[in-house]
Amino acid sequence: MSGCYCYDGTLAGLLSLYARLLAERVVVERISATPPDQQSLFSSEIYIATDQAVAEAFWQRLTRRLSSHSLKLLRHCLLADHPQQELLIYTYLLLEAEQGKRVDGMLAHPAVAPVWKLSQQVGREAHRYLGFVRFQQLQGGLYYAAIAPDHRILLLIGAHFAERFSDQQWVIHDQRHNEGILYDAEKKEWLLLPMELHAQPEITPQEIQFQQLWRSYFTTLAIPERRNLKLQQGKVPLKVRGYLTEFMA
Amino acid sequence: MDRLKILADGAKYDVSCSSSGSSRSNSGGVGSAASCGICHSWTSDGRCVSLLKILMTNRCIYDCAYCVNRRSNDVQRVALSPAEVAELTIGFYRRNYIEGLFLSTGVVRSADYTMELLIQAVRTLREQYRFNGYIHLKLVPGADPLLVQQAGLWADRVSVNLELPTRESLQLLAPDKSRDSVVGPMRQVSSLITANRAERKQSRKVARFAPAGQSTQLIVGATGESDRQIVTLSEQLYQRLELKRVYYSAFIPTVADTRLPARPEAPLRREHRLYQADWLLRYYGFAAHELLDEASPNLDSELDPKTGWALRHLELFPLEINRAGYEELLRVPGIGVRSAQRIIRARRQGHLGTDDLASLGVVMKRARYFVTARGRYAGDAGLDSNGLRSRLLDRPLQKRPVQLSLALEQPVRDETASLITGEL
Ligand code: SF4
């Protein structure tokens, strides 16, 4: 058994797939996320069905066995937005099944290096987004923030914002991946949900005022004698500026 | 809105930006202080924005020559009330614009009265809004010790700006502030922090006093002190008063005054060299007198201070990378804290060759002249070569930057980058 595999695109689906393939150390060419109804009759891809129980059992075994370092690596890569992340992770898991905890030290190994690099990218982006989220207060009191990160970092930043803004009702919406975190200030809980925006959210007059104050504060801060736009662009890439109050017109 | 502009403008030359070093977890209210520091944005000069940095008021009864807000300068005077400062901070914070507040002020009526206003703003934030975010409070020189103590209980970090390195300069340029009115509160804070630490060892219930420590700022280039005087002063501040940070701010003239140098070169390059020297004091185990002595009291503008030191001590080099101790490695130009640690770790697995060094993060462009690996020397010129200095210059052909000229852009860009990593 070797070749191309696909799953339904969910985390449980992917874990079910890993469980099946790892058990037999299957050699894999490609793994892709294709919902079953889009499968063509002549597709050469083998579809592995999602099995919640298998997925959970597999994840539990994995979290018990892996070092905290490997686990973090894996978590980050599962949240990455990369065309081959499923295969990269699988290759890593194969090596881990063979070598055990020794993989931790094998940074230069071709099965480890790309996973390590990807995990670093995700981690770095998540850290940057601790600063790059901008909430707007909506009619009704909800604080709403839109972001469009390269990777699906919401799960990595949720806890930070849940602690920091524990007494306000808020949503962080990843518009690129169409999902969001909804925080419930009463229950002190947060949930990751599929999310889509149907209309521009309505903001309060007070919100407009705070945004203006912030923009005016921000422009005043710069010291003209030290102007250095290139440095600024390295730190705040153009692609995120559309979501940052201080860079909006 | 205009008030905010004016008051932010008045505080922006204060260079401290860090919000790190304090971790406060949220217990019911809003906010937390992350101990690693989070930048929220960057201004068009490339500086990171993490705190709302403002003055409570730009009115001032004092007349410091280097300051826009001094009494005798004709500018529009405005003020925010403590309640307004608190409201603004919480409004910005809830939208995740900032990590916290950095509050400074001009002196109104008296030092004590002003200090009370600042404390009131911070209390409103902590008590009324139950704000747990980071707060840095500027202490007013000459304020009552009781107020200083209160300030430290509400804030995460406090600071008094020393501004000028010597008593004489202070008297000349800030005639209303005495050396004692500045150093007094610093001493007090230092001993309160030490006492608080001891008490908290006994009981965790004791409230934390300025958990992120104290810092200060020195203006560079407004008076004639040498780098040696400045670096020696910093060393004392770190050793005797246990300051967390000394910041250096290149003097940029915003007002004309006969007591100030007529056309001072904006000493940005010098500011940068001082930060490098400061780094060597704090993380590399250098002493001030090793970096500067009477014969050469100023830092070399063309060489970073560690390379300068190494060139004066060629007898200690080249160093064999596989045998040298950690402290010795740290003194090699091009080897930073991280690469020194990596060398130590990596050589346990086997002897390192010159090729391995670059992948461990060593800047070979500089280090090659000062090390051997397995006995092999990697420099393309001998250690005694007269050309060594010119090979190691930061930017051999660049002239010193002149204030406001376009030539400034180039060096400043590179310098900020290395300031952030701080590796030498
Ligand atoms: S005390 Fe001096 S430095 Fe401070 S605001 Fe007044 S004039 Fe400026």
mmCIF file of all heavy atoms in Angstrom, chain A residues 130 133-135 163-168 207 217 220-223 225-226 228 232 246, chain B residues 12 26 29 31-32 40-42 44-45 47 51 53 93-96 99 268 271 404 408:
data_model
loop_
_atom_site.group_PDB
_atom_site.id
_atom_site.type_symbol
_atom_site.label_atom_id
_atom_site.label_comp_id
_atom_site.label_asym_id
_atom_site.label_seq_id
_atom_site.Cartn_x
_atom_site.Cartn_y
_atom_site.Cartn_z
ATOM 1 N N LEU A 130 0.210 38.735 18.944
ATOM 2 C CA LEU A 130 -0.172 39.209 20.270
ATOM 3 C C LEU A 130 -0.242 40.726 20.238
ATOM 4 O O LEU A 130 -1.022 41.344 20.948
ATOM 5 C CB LEU A 130 0.845 38.762 21.328
ATOM 6 C CG LEU A 130 1.035 37.266 21.495
ATOM 7 C CD1 LEU A 130 2.021 36.987 22.611
ATOM 8 C CD2 LEU A 130 -0.282 36.574 21.783
ATOM 9 N N VAL A 133 -3.306 42.418 16.959
ATOM 10 C CA VAL A 133 -4.766 42.341 16.996
ATOM 11 C C VAL A 133 -5.322 43.705 17.406
ATOM 12 O O VAL A 133 -4.804 44.332 18.326
ATOM 13 C CB VAL A 133 -5.210 41.260 18.008
ATOM 14 C CG1 VAL A 133 -6.693 41.377 18.324
ATOM 15 C CG2 VAL A 133 -4.892 39.871 17.480
ATOM 16 N N ARG A 134 -6.331 44.210 16.674
ATOM 17 C CA ARG A 134 -6.950 45.491 17.049
ATOM 18 C C ARG A 134 -8.439 45.287 17.246
ATOM 19 O O ARG A 134 -9.148 44.962 16.293
ATOM 20 C CB ARG A 134 -6.759 46.542 15.934
ATOM 21 C CG ARG A 134 -5.329 46.931 15.658
ATOM 22 C CD ARG A 134 -4.751 47.843 16.738
ATOM 23 N NE ARG A 134 -3.341 48.093 16.500
ATOM 24 C CZ ARG A 134 -2.351 47.323 16.973
ATOM 25 N NH1 ARG A 134 -2.631 46.283 17.725
ATOM 26 N NH2 ARG A 134 -1.100 47.604 16.693
ATOM 27 N N PHE A 135 -8.904 45.473 18.470
ATOM 28 C CA PHE A 135 -10.333 45.320 18.729
ATOM 29 C C PHE A 135 -11.086 46.606 18.428
ATOM 30 O O PHE A 135 -10.586 47.703 18.680
ATOM 31 C CB PHE A 135 -10.568 44.963 20.204
ATOM 32 C CG PHE A 135 -10.153 43.572 20.552
ATOM 33 C CD1 PHE A 135 -9.020 43.353 21.325
ATOM 34 C CD2 PHE A 135 -10.872 42.477 20.113
ATOM 35 C CE1 PHE A 135 -8.621 42.065 21.662
ATOM 36 C CE2 PHE A 135 -10.486 41.188 20.439
ATOM 37 C CZ PHE A 135 -9.363 40.976 21.217
ATOM 38 N N GLU A 163 -6.863 35.644 28.973
ATOM 39 C CA GLU A 163 -6.415 36.110 30.274
ATOM 40 C C GLU A 163 -6.435 37.630 30.325
ATOM 41 O O GLU A 163 -6.889 38.230 31.287
ATOM 42 C CB GLU A 163 -5.005 35.605 30.591
ATOM 43 C CG GLU A 163 -4.703 35.788 32.072
ATOM 44 C CD GLU A 163 -3.231 35.911 32.421
ATOM 45 O OE1 GLU A 163 -2.411 35.191 31.837
ATOM 46 O OE2 GLU A 163 -2.921 36.758 33.286
ATOM 47 N N ARG A 164 -5.958 38.228 29.271
ATOM 48 C CA ARG A 164 -5.815 39.678 29.273
ATOM 49 C C ARG A 164 -7.152 40.398 29.279
ATOM 50 O O ARG A 164 -7.324 41.377 29.980
ATOM 51 C CB ARG A 164 -4.988 40.099 28.051
ATOM 52 C CG ARG A 164 -4.907 41.581 27.901
ATOM 53 C CD ARG A 164 -3.729 41.985 27.097
ATOM 54 N NE ARG A 164 -2.479 41.681 27.790
ATOM 55 C CZ ARG A 164 -1.300 42.120 27.382
ATOM 56 N NH1 ARG A 164 -1.203 42.844 26.291
ATOM 57 N NH2 ARG A 164 -0.218 41.828 28.055
ATOM 58 N N PHE A 165 -8.095 39.947 28.480
ATOM 59 C CA PHE A 165 -9.380 40.645 28.402
ATOM 60 C C PHE A 165 -10.486 39.765 28.973
ATOM 61 O O PHE A 165 -11.499 39.527 28.340
ATOM 62 C CB PHE A 165 -9.667 41.053 26.952
ATOM 63 C CG PHE A 165 -8.600 41.949 26.396
ATOM 64 C CD1 PHE A 165 -7.790 41.525 25.356
ATOM 65 C CD2 PHE A 165 -8.378 43.214 26.929
ATOM 66 C CE1 PHE A 165 -6.774 42.347 24.857
ATOM 67 C CE2 PHE A 165 -7.376 44.031 26.436
ATOM 68 C CZ PHE A 165 -6.574 43.598 25.400
ATOM 69 N N SER A 166 -10.247 39.299 30.180
ATOM 70 C CA SER A 166 -11.166 38.306 30.748
ATOM 71 C C SER A 166 -12.516 38.904 31.093
ATOM 72 O O SER A 166 -13.475 38.184 31.286
ATOM 73 C CB SER A 166 -10.548 37.671 31.985
ATOM 74 O OG SER A 166 -10.369 38.661 32.976
ATOM 75 N N ASP A 167 -12.611 40.231 31.210
ATOM 76 C CA ASP A 167 -13.900 40.806 31.589
ATOM 77 C C ASP A 167 -14.617 41.466 30.417
ATOM 78 O O ASP A 167 -15.586 42.171 30.599
ATOM 79 C CB ASP A 167 -13.703 41.819 32.730
ATOM 80 C CG ASP A 167 -12.916 43.028 32.260
ATOM 81 O OD1 ASP A 167 -12.263 42.962 31.191
ATOM 82 O OD2 ASP A 167 -12.947 44.059 32.955
ATOM 83 N N GLN A 168 -14.120 41.295 29.201
ATOM 84 C CA GLN A 168 -14.866 41.852 28.067
ATOM 85 C C GLN A 168 -15.241 40.743 27.085
ATOM 86 O O GLN A 168 -14.565 39.739 26.953
ATOM 87 C CB GLN A 168 -14.103 43.010 27.392
ATOM 88 C CG GLN A 168 -12.938 42.639 26.499
ATOM 89 C CD GLN A 168 -12.033 43.847 26.173
ATOM 90 O OE1 GLN A 168 -11.797 44.714 27.018
ATOM 91 N NE2 GLN A 168 -11.527 43.889 24.954
ATOM 92 N N GLU A 207 -16.078 54.448 19.728
ATOM 93 C CA GLU A 207 -15.048 53.686 19.050
ATOM 94 C C GLU A 207 -14.331 54.548 18.004
ATOM 95 O O GLU A 207 -13.105 54.555 17.901
ATOM 96 C CB GLU A 207 -15.670 52.451 18.392
ATOM 97 C CG GLU A 207 -14.716 51.627 17.537
ATOM 98 C CD GLU A 207 -13.532 51.082 18.312
ATOM 99 O OE1 GLU A 207 -13.699 50.771 19.506
ATOM 100 O OE2 GLU A 207 -12.437 51.000 17.724
ATOM 101 N N TYR A 217 -2.194 59.957 17.946
ATOM 102 C CA TYR A 217 -1.087 59.666 18.874
ATOM 103 C C TYR A 217 0.061 58.997 18.130
ATOM 104 O O TYR A 217 1.211 59.361 18.256
ATOM 105 C CB TYR A 217 -1.583 58.764 19.996
ATOM 106 C CG TYR A 217 -0.478 58.219 20.871
ATOM 107 C CD1 TYR A 217 0.162 59.039 21.793
ATOM 108 C CD2 TYR A 217 -0.061 56.899 20.764
ATOM 109 C CE1 TYR A 217 1.192 58.553 22.578
ATOM 110 C CE2 TYR A 217 0.963 56.401 21.547
ATOM 111 C CZ TYR A 217 1.586 57.234 22.456
ATOM 112 O OH TYR A 217 2.608 56.766 23.229
ATOM 113 N N THR A 220 2.139 61.268 15.911
ATOM 114 C CA THR A 220 2.948 62.208 16.684
ATOM 115 C C THR A 220 4.230 61.573 17.206
ATOM 116 O O THR A 220 5.246 62.224 17.367
ATOM 117 C CB THR A 220 2.148 62.716 17.902
ATOM 118 O OG1 THR A 220 0.842 63.061 17.488
ATOM 119 C CG2 THR A 220 2.816 63.925 18.525
ATOM 120 N N LEU A 221 4.163 60.259 17.468
ATOM 121 C CA LEU A 221 5.283 59.578 18.100
ATOM 122 C C LEU A 221 6.580 59.591 17.315
ATOM 123 O O LEU A 221 7.661 59.585 17.874
ATOM 124 C CB LEU A 221 4.913 58.109 18.299
ATOM 125 C CG LEU A 221 4.155 57.734 19.548
ATOM 126 C CD1 LEU A 221 4.094 56.227 19.624
ATOM 127 C CD2 LEU A 221 4.857 58.294 20.770
ATOM 128 N N ALA A 222 6.470 59.568 15.989
ATOM 129 C CA ALA A 222 7.663 59.417 15.170
ATOM 130 C C ALA A 222 8.557 60.642 15.302
ATOM 131 O O ALA A 222 8.084 61.769 15.368
ATOM 132 C CB ALA A 222 7.265 59.223 13.722
ATOM 133 N N ILE A 223 9.841 60.394 15.354
ATOM 134 C CA ILE A 223 10.800 61.498 15.395
ATOM 135 C C ILE A 223 11.329 61.699 13.982
ATOM 136 O O ILE A 223 11.988 60.820 13.436
ATOM 137 C CB ILE A 223 11.949 61.182 16.373
ATOM 138 C CG1 ILE A 223 11.388 61.091 17.794
ATOM 139 C CG2 ILE A 223 13.045 62.245 16.304
ATOM 140 C CD1 ILE A 223 12.393 60.715 18.855
ATOM 141 N N GLU A 225 13.630 63.282 12.569
ATOM 142 C CA GLU A 225 15.075 63.206 12.329
ATOM 143 C C GLU A 225 15.543 61.761 12.193
ATOM 144 O O GLU A 225 16.653 61.494 11.769
ATOM 145 C CB GLU A 225 15.861 63.853 13.475
ATOM 146 C CG GLU A 225 15.789 65.358 13.539
ATOM 147 C CD GLU A 225 14.578 65.837 14.327
ATOM 148 O OE1 GLU A 225 13.642 65.029 14.552
ATOM 149 O OE2 GLU A 225 14.563 67.024 14.705
ATOM 150 N N ARG A 226 14.719 60.818 12.636
ATOM 151 C CA ARG A 226 15.164 59.430 12.626
ATOM 152 C C ARG A 226 14.349 58.560 11.682
ATOM 153 O O ARG A 226 14.349 57.343 11.796
ATOM 154 C CB ARG A 226 15.037 58.840 14.032
ATOM 155 C CG ARG A 226 15.890 59.530 15.043
ATOM 156 C CD ARG A 226 15.885 58.771 16.330
ATOM 157 N NE ARG A 226 16.811 59.376 17.269
ATOM 158 C CZ ARG A 226 17.354 58.744 18.281
ATOM 159 N NH1 ARG A 226 17.052 57.500 18.511
ATOM 160 N NH2 ARG A 226 18.194 59.362 19.089
ATOM 161 N N ASN A 228 12.827 56.169 9.184
ATOM 162 C CA ASN A 228 13.441 54.957 8.665
ATOM 163 C C ASN A 228 12.360 53.975 8.225
ATOM 164 O O ASN A 228 12.022 53.029 8.908
ATOM 165 C CB ASN A 228 14.310 54.349 9.772
ATOM 166 C CG ASN A 228 15.142 53.199 9.273
ATOM 167 O OD1 ASN A 228 14.897 52.666 8.192
ATOM 168 N ND2 ASN A 228 16.122 52.811 10.044
ATOM 169 N N GLN A 232 10.745 50.130 9.440
ATOM 170 C CA GLN A 232 9.342 50.007 9.825
ATOM 171 C C GLN A 232 8.662 48.897 9.014
ATOM 172 O O GLN A 232 7.906 48.098 9.542
ATOM 173 C CB GLN A 232 8.622 51.337 9.594
ATOM 174 C CG GLN A 232 7.172 51.313 10.065
ATOM 175 C CD GLN A 232 6.385 52.539 9.621
ATOM 176 O OE1 GLN A 232 6.678 53.146 8.599
ATOM 177 N NE2 GLN A 232 5.403 52.912 10.405
ATOM 178 N N GLU A 246 -3.874 52.079 13.206
ATOM 179 C CA GLU A 246 -2.978 53.218 13.021
ATOM 180 C C GLU A 246 -2.533 53.413 11.574
ATOM 181 O O GLU A 246 -1.995 54.455 11.220
ATOM 182 C CB GLU A 246 -1.774 53.120 13.960
ATOM 183 C CG GLU A 246 -0.880 51.894 13.771
ATOM 184 C CD GLU A 246 -1.330 50.700 14.615
ATOM 185 O OE1 GLU A 246 -2.539 50.594 14.913
ATOM 186 O OE2 GLU A 246 -0.473 49.875 14.966
ATOM 187 N N LYS B 12 7.892 61.896 23.761
ATOM 188 C CA LYS B 12 8.414 60.899 22.838
ATOM 189 C C LYS B 12 9.936 60.779 22.832
ATOM 190 O O LYS B 12 10.456 59.773 22.392
ATOM 191 C CB LYS B 12 7.907 61.152 21.424
ATOM 192 C CG LYS B 12 8.491 62.362 20.741
ATOM 193 C CD LYS B 12 7.835 62.533 19.387
ATOM 194 C CE LYS B 12 8.379 63.726 18.669
ATOM 195 N NZ LYS B 12 7.626 64.011 17.454
ATOM 196 N N ASN B 26 -3.672 38.352 35.723
ATOM 197 C CA ASN B 26 -4.967 38.975 35.880
ATOM 198 C C ASN B 26 -5.763 38.281 36.981
ATOM 199 O O ASN B 26 -5.979 37.097 36.946
ATOM 200 C CB ASN B 26 -5.701 38.860 34.552
ATOM 201 C CG ASN B 26 -7.006 39.593 34.574
ATOM 202 O OD1 ASN B 26 -7.444 40.036 35.627
ATOM 203 N ND2 ASN B 26 -7.606 39.727 33.427
ATOM 204 N N GLY B 29 -9.689 41.598 37.023
ATOM 205 C CA GLY B 29 -9.865 42.826 36.257
ATOM 206 C C GLY B 29 -9.450 42.651 34.818
ATOM 207 O O GLY B 29 -9.556 41.567 34.247
ATOM 208 N N GLY B 31 -6.391 42.933 31.930
ATOM 209 C CA GLY B 31 -4.980 43.145 31.660
ATOM 210 C C GLY B 31 -4.049 42.189 32.353
ATOM 211 O O GLY B 31 -4.348 41.584 33.366
ATOM 212 N N SER B 32 -2.870 42.052 31.741
ATOM 213 C CA SER B 32 -1.811 41.260 32.318
ATOM 214 C C SER B 32 -0.532 41.842 31.770
ATOM 215 O O SER B 32 -0.554 42.544 30.772
ATOM 216 C CB SER B 32 -1.945 39.806 31.868
ATOM 217 O OG SER B 32 -1.832 39.737 30.466
ATOM 218 N N HIS B 40 3.510 46.380 19.813
ATOM 219 C CA HIS B 40 2.212 46.452 19.142
ATOM 220 C C HIS B 40 2.289 47.120 17.775
ATOM 221 O O HIS B 40 1.474 46.880 16.914
ATOM 222 C CB HIS B 40 1.190 47.173 20.030
ATOM 223 C CG HIS B 40 0.773 46.330 21.195
ATOM 224 N ND1 HIS B 40 -0.489 45.860 21.359
ATOM 225 C CD2 HIS B 40 1.485 45.837 22.234
ATOM 226 C CE1 HIS B 40 -0.556 45.129 22.456
ATOM 227 N NE2 HIS B 40 0.634 45.096 23.011
ATOM 228 N N SER B 41 3.240 48.014 17.609
ATOM 229 C CA SER B 41 3.398 48.626 16.303
ATOM 230 C C SER B 41 4.791 49.250 16.218
ATOM 231 O O SER B 41 5.543 49.216 17.182
ATOM 232 C CB SER B 41 2.321 49.684 16.088
ATOM 233 O OG SER B 41 2.196 49.980 14.717
ATOM 234 N N TRP B 42 5.085 49.804 15.041
ATOM 235 C CA TRP B 42 6.371 50.467 14.871
ATOM 236 C C TRP B 42 6.155 51.796 14.153
ATOM 237 O O TRP B 42 5.423 51.853 13.154
ATOM 238 C CB TRP B 42 7.334 49.574 14.080
ATOM 239 C CG TRP B 42 7.969 48.523 14.922
ATOM 240 C CD1 TRP B 42 9.180 48.600 15.547
ATOM 241 C CD2 TRP B 42 7.442 47.221 15.248
ATOM 242 N NE1 TRP B 42 9.433 47.429 16.232
ATOM 243 C CE2 TRP B 42 8.377 46.576 16.076
ATOM 244 C CE3 TRP B 42 6.248 46.551 14.936
ATOM 245 C CZ2 TRP B 42 8.174 45.289 16.588
ATOM 246 C CZ3 TRP B 42 6.047 45.279 15.454
ATOM 247 C CH2 TRP B 42 7.007 44.671 16.267
ATOM 248 N N SER B 44 7.250 55.391 12.058
ATOM 249 C CA SER B 44 7.969 55.551 10.802
ATOM 250 C C SER B 44 9.468 55.758 11.016
ATOM 251 O O SER B 44 10.238 55.775 10.076
ATOM 252 C CB SER B 44 7.393 56.718 9.999
ATOM 253 O OG SER B 44 7.484 57.894 10.767
ATOM 254 N N ASP B 45 9.919 55.898 12.267
ATOM 255 C CA ASP B 45 11.367 55.892 12.484
ATOM 256 C C ASP B 45 11.818 54.504 12.950
ATOM 257 O O ASP B 45 12.959 54.318 13.362
ATOM 258 C CB ASP B 45 11.800 56.985 13.482
ATOM 259 C CG ASP B 45 11.023 56.925 14.779
ATOM 260 O OD1 ASP B 45 10.583 55.835 15.150
ATOM 261 O OD2 ASP B 45 10.849 57.976 15.417
ATOM 262 N N ARG B 47 10.832 52.718 15.515
ATOM 263 C CA ARG B 47 10.873 52.375 16.934
ATOM 264 C C ARG B 47 9.597 51.644 17.334
ATOM 265 O O ARG B 47 8.520 51.938 16.840
ATOM 266 C CB ARG B 47 11.030 53.641 17.788
ATOM 267 C CG ARG B 47 12.419 54.249 17.656
ATOM 268 C CD ARG B 47 12.541 55.475 18.498
ATOM 269 N NE ARG B 47 11.404 56.364 18.264
ATOM 270 C CZ ARG B 47 10.937 57.195 19.192
ATOM 271 N NH1 ARG B 47 11.487 57.245 20.375
ATOM 272 N NH2 ARG B 47 9.914 57.974 18.898
ATOM 273 N N LEU B 51 3.901 51.101 24.671
ATOM 274 C CA LEU B 51 3.240 51.788 25.780
ATOM 275 C C LEU B 51 2.613 53.090 25.314
ATOM 276 O O LEU B 51 3.081 53.701 24.355
ATOM 277 C CB LEU B 51 4.273 52.123 26.871
ATOM 278 C CG LEU B 51 5.056 50.962 27.469
ATOM 279 C CD1 LEU B 51 6.138 51.474 28.402
ATOM 280 C CD2 LEU B 51 4.125 50.012 28.215
ATOM 281 N N LYS B 53 2.775 56.516 25.845
ATOM 282 C CA LYS B 53 3.811 57.308 26.494
ATOM 283 C C LYS B 53 3.391 58.768 26.451
ATOM 284 O O LYS B 53 3.428 59.375 25.389
ATOM 285 C CB LYS B 53 5.111 57.090 25.718
ATOM 286 C CG LYS B 53 6.358 57.349 26.496
ATOM 287 C CD LYS B 53 7.571 57.261 25.618
ATOM 288 C CE LYS B 53 8.034 55.839 25.392
ATOM 289 N NZ LYS B 53 9.354 55.810 24.720
ATOM 290 N N TYR B 93 -6.013 50.279 25.860
ATOM 291 C CA TYR B 93 -5.631 48.931 26.272
ATOM 292 C C TYR B 93 -6.658 47.899 25.837
ATOM 293 O O TYR B 93 -6.315 46.852 25.295
ATOM 294 C CB TYR B 93 -5.440 48.887 27.785
ATOM 295 C CG TYR B 93 -4.761 47.633 28.254
ATOM 296 C CD1 TYR B 93 -3.370 47.544 28.269
ATOM 297 C CD2 TYR B 93 -5.489 46.521 28.668
ATOM 298 C CE1 TYR B 93 -2.740 46.392 28.684
ATOM 299 C CE2 TYR B 93 -4.871 45.370 29.081
ATOM 300 C CZ TYR B 93 -3.491 45.307 29.091
ATOM 301 O OH TYR B 93 -2.863 44.156 29.498
ATOM 302 N N ARG B 94 -7.940 48.238 26.061
ATOM 303 C CA ARG B 94 -9.006 47.291 25.710
ATOM 304 C C ARG B 94 -9.043 47.002 24.217
ATOM 305 O O ARG B 94 -9.572 45.988 23.784
ATOM 306 C CB ARG B 94 -10.364 47.841 26.137
ATOM 307 C CG ARG B 94 -10.605 47.737 27.626
ATOM 308 C CD ARG B 94 -12.060 47.865 27.966
ATOM 309 N NE ARG B 94 -12.299 47.702 29.401
ATOM 310 C CZ ARG B 94 -12.346 46.529 30.008
ATOM 311 N NH1 ARG B 94 -12.172 45.422 29.321
ATOM 312 N NH2 ARG B 94 -12.555 46.466 31.306
ATOM 313 N N ARG B 95 -8.520 47.906 23.410
ATOM 314 C CA ARG B 95 -8.479 47.679 21.960
ATOM 315 C C ARG B 95 -7.181 47.022 21.523
ATOM 316 O O ARG B 95 -6.902 46.890 20.343
ATOM 317 C CB ARG B 95 -8.679 49.021 21.251
ATOM 318 C CG ARG B 95 -10.112 49.507 21.374
ATOM 319 C CD ARG B 95 -10.323 50.970 21.050
ATOM 320 N NE ARG B 95 -11.737 51.296 21.162
ATOM 321 C CZ ARG B 95 -12.387 51.503 22.315
ATOM 322 N NH1 ARG B 95 -11.719 51.449 23.457
ATOM 323 N NH2 ARG B 95 -13.673 51.766 22.336
ATOM 324 N N ASN B 96 -6.350 46.673 22.523
ATOM 325 C CA ASN B 96 -5.058 46.025 22.271
ATOM 326 C C ASN B 96 -4.097 46.890 21.456
ATOM 327 O O ASN B 96 -3.319 46.396 20.656
ATOM 328 C CB ASN B 96 -5.245 44.667 21.579
ATOM 329 C CG ASN B 96 -4.060 43.749 21.796
ATOM 330 O OD1 ASN B 96 -3.508 43.689 22.894
ATOM 331 N ND2 ASN B 96 -3.619 43.067 20.752
ATOM 332 N N GLU B 99 0.576 47.884 25.569
ATOM 333 C CA GLU B 99 0.856 46.985 26.683
ATOM 334 C C GLU B 99 0.649 47.666 28.025
ATOM 335 O O GLU B 99 0.678 47.015 29.066
ATOM 336 C CB GLU B 99 2.344 46.581 26.660
ATOM 337 C CG GLU B 99 2.720 45.380 25.860
ATOM 338 C CD GLU B 99 1.957 44.139 26.219
ATOM 339 O OE1 GLU B 99 2.305 43.496 27.208
ATOM 340 O OE2 GLU B 99 0.993 43.828 25.504
ATOM 341 N N LEU B 268 23.884 60.613 17.211
ATOM 342 C CA LEU B 268 23.223 59.309 17.132
ATOM 343 C C LEU B 268 24.224 58.174 17.127
ATOM 344 O O LEU B 268 24.036 57.139 17.741
ATOM 345 C CB LEU B 268 22.343 59.237 15.876
ATOM 346 C CG LEU B 268 21.082 60.088 15.947
ATOM 347 C CD1 LEU B 268 20.376 60.100 14.599
ATOM 348 C CD2 LEU B 268 20.161 59.571 17.028
ATOM 349 N N GLU B 271 25.400 57.786 20.590
ATOM 350 C CA GLU B 271 24.374 57.109 21.382
ATOM 351 C C GLU B 271 24.465 55.599 21.153
ATOM 352 O O GLU B 271 24.422 54.804 22.086
ATOM 353 C CB GLU B 271 22.991 57.629 20.948
ATOM 354 C CG GLU B 271 21.809 56.942 21.614
ATOM 355 C CD GLU B 271 20.477 57.307 20.948
ATOM 356 O OE1 GLU B 271 20.103 58.496 21.003
ATOM 357 O OE2 GLU B 271 19.819 56.420 20.377
ATOM 358 N N LEU B 404 20.631 65.799 10.595
ATOM 359 C CA LEU B 404 19.577 66.100 9.636
ATOM 360 C C LEU B 404 19.959 65.903 8.174
ATOM 361 O O LEU B 404 19.162 66.105 7.290
ATOM 362 C CB LEU B 404 19.077 67.534 9.795
ATOM 363 C CG LEU B 404 18.396 67.844 11.102
ATOM 364 C CD1 LEU B 404 17.773 69.228 11.038
ATOM 365 C CD2 LEU B 404 17.353 66.815 11.465
ATOM 366 N N LEU B 408 22.464 60.581 7.203
ATOM 367 C CA LEU B 408 22.075 59.975 8.465
ATOM 368 C C LEU B 408 21.372 58.640 8.264
ATOM 369 O O LEU B 408 21.515 57.729 9.044
ATOM 370 C CB LEU B 408 21.120 60.926 9.167
ATOM 371 C CG LEU B 408 20.977 60.789 10.665
ATOM 372 C CD1 LEU B 408 22.185 61.421 11.312
ATOM 373 C CD2 LEU B 408 19.727 61.484 11.121
#
